[in-house]
Each structure stands twice: as C-alpha cells, then as structure tokens.
Amino acid sequence: AGLGEAAAAVGWFQKAVSLRPDLAQSHANLGLALQAAGDDRAAAASFRKALAIGPADPGVLNNLGAVLARLGDAEGAVASYEQALKLAPGYAMAAANLGIALKDAGRMAAAVEAFERAVAAEPRDVESLCNLAAALHESGRSRDAAARYRAALAIRPKDADALKGLGLVLKALGETAEAETSLEAALAAR
C-alpha cells in the first residue's frame, strides 16, 4: 500500500476508534495503518491502547515491538517480543524479531536462542535460518553457521544472502575454494 492508501486507512480507522473506543481491535487496526503511514510513535500509542483494553494479543505485542525497534527502544522491543512469546510460544515471527533485536543489542547468545526458537517453529524459513547462521558465526560457531546456511540453501538453492553468508563463513574457516564458489554464486543470484 502506498502512503496515500495508508493515510486513507488511518482516517477510516480513526473513525472506527471514535465509534468504538472500547474495542481493542479498532486501536490495533489504527496502529497498523499508522505504522504503514510511517507514524511509528502514534502506532506505538495505538498498540499500547489496544493492549490496555485487552485481552493481550501476541500479534499486537509483536507489532508494538517492531515500532519500538524502529524508534530506537531496543529494550522495549525485546520486552514486547518476549511477552508475545509468553502468550504464543510457537510464534515464529516474534521469535525471529526478538533474535534481531537481541543481535542488534549485541546479546549474541540470547539472539542465537531466539533464532533457534524461530527455526524450530518454522524450519523452512530461509530468513530465520540465515539470521541464525549469522548469529552463530558472530558467536564464533562458524561450523554450525555453515550448516545452517547449507540448510537454507537446501530449501532455496539460489538464495543470494545464504550463498553470501556461506561464502563468508567458509572463507573464515579457510575453505577458500568453496568460499569463492559460494560468493560467485551469490553475485550471480542477485
């Protein structure tokens, strides 16, 4: 949706909130529209209002985490994702988002755990496999990282990010010939 469509949606959802201010879903929908329109501060306020009305919703908590992360509130984002996962332990997107927030905060061991949780929930999610591999590599577990990149490539053989990541890991491991092959394939895949 373009910004014009998002702005129109904001207007519609503001009307819905004015008609039913006691309905959490109205505030959550307004938050999504504000997020799409690029107004993360207002989106966070709408998501918080939806959560205050209740009941607690893992999707709303995940969305709140996303806007808090963009606003630079890493700890608030982590807390929102963790709350979402308490309510829905198998929520792969919240686990992946938690991993990203923890990795960005330099909390690599916790990020690895979150990405492992995301992969356990959605084993064929190439992006989560690559995020896990990158966190493993940054944690000094390059062989494990290579295995995760290879798992991603078994699902999507021409994934440029997985090929590049594998190439960089193999280079770090001293496996130069295979690293070059993987990096060349990554360039060709872009």
Side-chain angles (χ1 to χ4, degrees), residues 110-138:
V112 167
E113 287 179 22
F115 289 132
E116 285 174 339
R117 190 171 181 175
V119 169
E122 300 236 357
R124 297 189 56 78
D125 182 356
V126 171
E127 186 175 346
S128 288
L129 282 163
C130 288
N131 283 332
L132 173 56
L136 287 165
H137 182 55
E138 287 185 44

Side-chain angles (χ1 to χ4, degrees), residues 24-29 32 46-65 79-88 91 94:
Q25 192 61 50
S26 295
H27 292 278
N29 289 339
L32 288 171
S46 288
F47 292 139
R48 285 187 173 117
K49 181 69 174 173
L51 292 165
I53 293 169
D57 180 306
V60 174
L61 286 160
N62 184 62
N63 292 331
L64 176 59
S80 290
Y81 298 136
E82 287 175 340
Q83 279 184 280
L85 288 164
K86 282 181 185 165
L87 294 171
Y91 190 1

Side-chain angles (χ1 to χ4, degrees), residues 3 19 28 35 38 65 70-71 74 79 88 99 110 112 146 150-151 163 165 169:
L3 280 180
L19 294 172
Q35 185 179 10
R70 277 197 303 280
L71 290 169
V112 167
R150 285 187 174 110
L163 287 162
V169 168

Side-chain angles (χ1 to χ4, degrees), residues 168-190:
L168 294 173
V169 168
L170 292 171
K171 183 179 177 190
L173 290 169
E175 298 176 23
T176 312
E178 193 178 350
E180 282 182 23
T181 301
S182 188
L183 291 169
E184 287 170 4
L187 287 172
R190 291 211 184 266

